[in-house]
């Protein structure tokens, strides 16, 4: 796709091909449009639902918005491994453990695709890590809640990965090419994550009364934090209007939240579990479910760093970063060794 999917030896060649194609496209466009400026060209590309690519001119604000959003997304994937990793050693069966391992590894992969996408905007992965560790970039507030029982793994898959899908499917059509392409791959894997969570909850909900109770308790605790994943209400959303004009964001926070509620309300019935909202009911006039909004004051508190697990998550992340220093050093030394000109072989010396 891009970034580290290219073999090192082929990368240069692909870059040259991309450069040549871009030159041709620019020349053709100049002749058609009579040399209008870069900003007009950018606006026209976005309006025509074409993709902006890394070497295209883009407004500073567009670049900054994308870096902030993609970095926050990448950090969320990496930090998001922690709540479920808590249950890797306690999964109830070998099969469940293998599935959960695969899922947690997928999340690490999502982080890597996204850091690679952010790097195409001219910021290094190291810089983004530093900003996260210094608390200057955020990750999704949902990962600051604890996983108290095995059913939480099911609730995370069903609700948290489910909310991620609703949020991220429109991003597959985002105006920035590398981000949009990364999202296509990520969304395919998120679908598997959501299914596995749903299946865990279905199994528990159709098991013993104790298991059903455990599943219901997990849904009770994860429902409102999952609704809050869509961000503040549209009336308070600071970045939304500009992001929608740039086609980074395609739907408003409240539209996406509604779509998620409508999806879950029906799935809960099949699960045999109750969504913890006494006011949840179908509204035929709106063609959608009415529901109780999450506690946005709680969301802001968690974003400010005062959720139940913020400090533990960041402490773990810092420790993992420090413990991994030797891996980064070894990888850099290995890359440097292979980049250096090869020493002459014995045959070449004696020829
Ligand atoms: Fe993910
Ligand atoms: Fe996921």
């Amino acid at each position: 796709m891009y970034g580290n999917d290219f073999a090192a030896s082929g990368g240069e060649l692909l870059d040259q091909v991309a450069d040549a194609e871009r030159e041709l496209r620019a020349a053709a466009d100049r002749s058609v449009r009579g040399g209008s400026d870069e900003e007009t060209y950018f606006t026209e590309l976005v309006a025509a639902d074409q993709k902006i690519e890394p070497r295209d001119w883009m407004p500073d604000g567009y670049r900054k918005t994308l870096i902030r959003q993609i970095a926050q997304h990448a950090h969320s994937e990496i930090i998001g491994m922690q709540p479920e990793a808590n249950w890797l050693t306690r999964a109830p069966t070998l099969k469940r453990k293998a599935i959960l391992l695969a899922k947690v590894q997928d999340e690490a992969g999502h982080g890597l695709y996204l850091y690679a996408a952010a790097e195409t905007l001219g910021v290094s992965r190291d810089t983004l890590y530093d900003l996260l560790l210094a608390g200057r970039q955020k990750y999704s507030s949902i990962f600051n809640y604890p996983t108290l029982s095995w059913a939480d793994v099911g609730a995370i898959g069903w609700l948290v990965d489910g909310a991620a899908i609703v949020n991220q499917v429109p991003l597959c059509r985002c105006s920035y090419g590398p981000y949009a392409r990364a999202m296509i791959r990520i969304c395919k894997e998120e679908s598997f994550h959501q299914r596995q969570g749903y299946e865990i909850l279905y199994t528990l909900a159709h098991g013993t009364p104790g298991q059903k109770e455990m599943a219901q308790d997990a849904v009770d605790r994860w429902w409102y934090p999952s609704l809050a994943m869509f961000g503040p209400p549209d009336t308070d959303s600071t970045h939304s209007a500009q992001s929608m004009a740039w086609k980074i964001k395609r739907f408003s926070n409240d539209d996406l939240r509604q779509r998620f509620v409508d999806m879950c309300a029906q799935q809960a019935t099949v699960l045999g579990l109750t969504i913890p909202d006494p006011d949840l009911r179908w509204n035929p006039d709106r063609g959608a479910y009415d529901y109780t909004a999450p506690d946005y004051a709680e969301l802001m508190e968690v974003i400010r760093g005062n959720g139940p697990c913020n400090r533990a998550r960041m402490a773990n992340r810092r420790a993992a970063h420090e413990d991994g220093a030797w891996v980064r050093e070894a990888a850099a030394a290995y890359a440097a060794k292979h980049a250096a000109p090869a020493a002459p072989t014995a045959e070449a010396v004696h020829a």
Side-chain angles (χ1 to χ4, degrees), residues 54-107:
R55 291 178 195 79
D56 289 334
W57 181 90
M58 60 188 83
D60 260 5
Y62 180 82
R63 186 184 297 276
K64 281 185 190 143
T65 299
L66 277 168
I67 290 175
R68 187 185 62 240
Q69 180 170 335
I70 300 174
Q72 180 171 317
H73 194 162
H75 300 327
S76 302
E77 300 284 357
I78 300 295
I79 299 275
M81 296 162 73
Q82 292 187 36
E84 288 169 298
N86 184 32
W87 284 91
L88 279 177
T89 53
R90 290 175 289 160
T93 66
L94 184 59
K95 185 178 138 198
R96 293 289 186 201
K97 181 172 177 142
I99 294 170
L100 187 57
L101 265 174
K103 193 223 179 213
V104 172
Q105 284 176 344
D106 279 354
E107 306 299 8

Side-chain angles (χ1 to χ4, degrees), residues 6 12 16 67 79 162 187 194 204 213 216 316 321 337:
F6 289 144
E12 250 183 48
Q16 286 167 13
I67 290 175
I79 299 275
C187 283
Q194 202 240 2
L204 291 172
E213 201 178 305
Q216 184 62 57
N316 282 339
H321 194 67
K337 190 168 136 190

Side-chain angles (χ1 to χ4, degrees), residues 103 107 110 161 190 193:
K103 193 223 179 213
E107 306 299 8
H110 297 174
D161 290 280
E190 296 297 0
H193 299 172

Side-chain angles (χ1 to χ4, degrees), residues 230-238 240 253-254 257 293-294 296 299:
F230 296 91
D234 292 350
T235 42
D236 300 347
S237 185
T238 41
S240 276
N253 293 355
D254 287 335
R257 196 169 1 249
Y296 294 114
L299 171 67

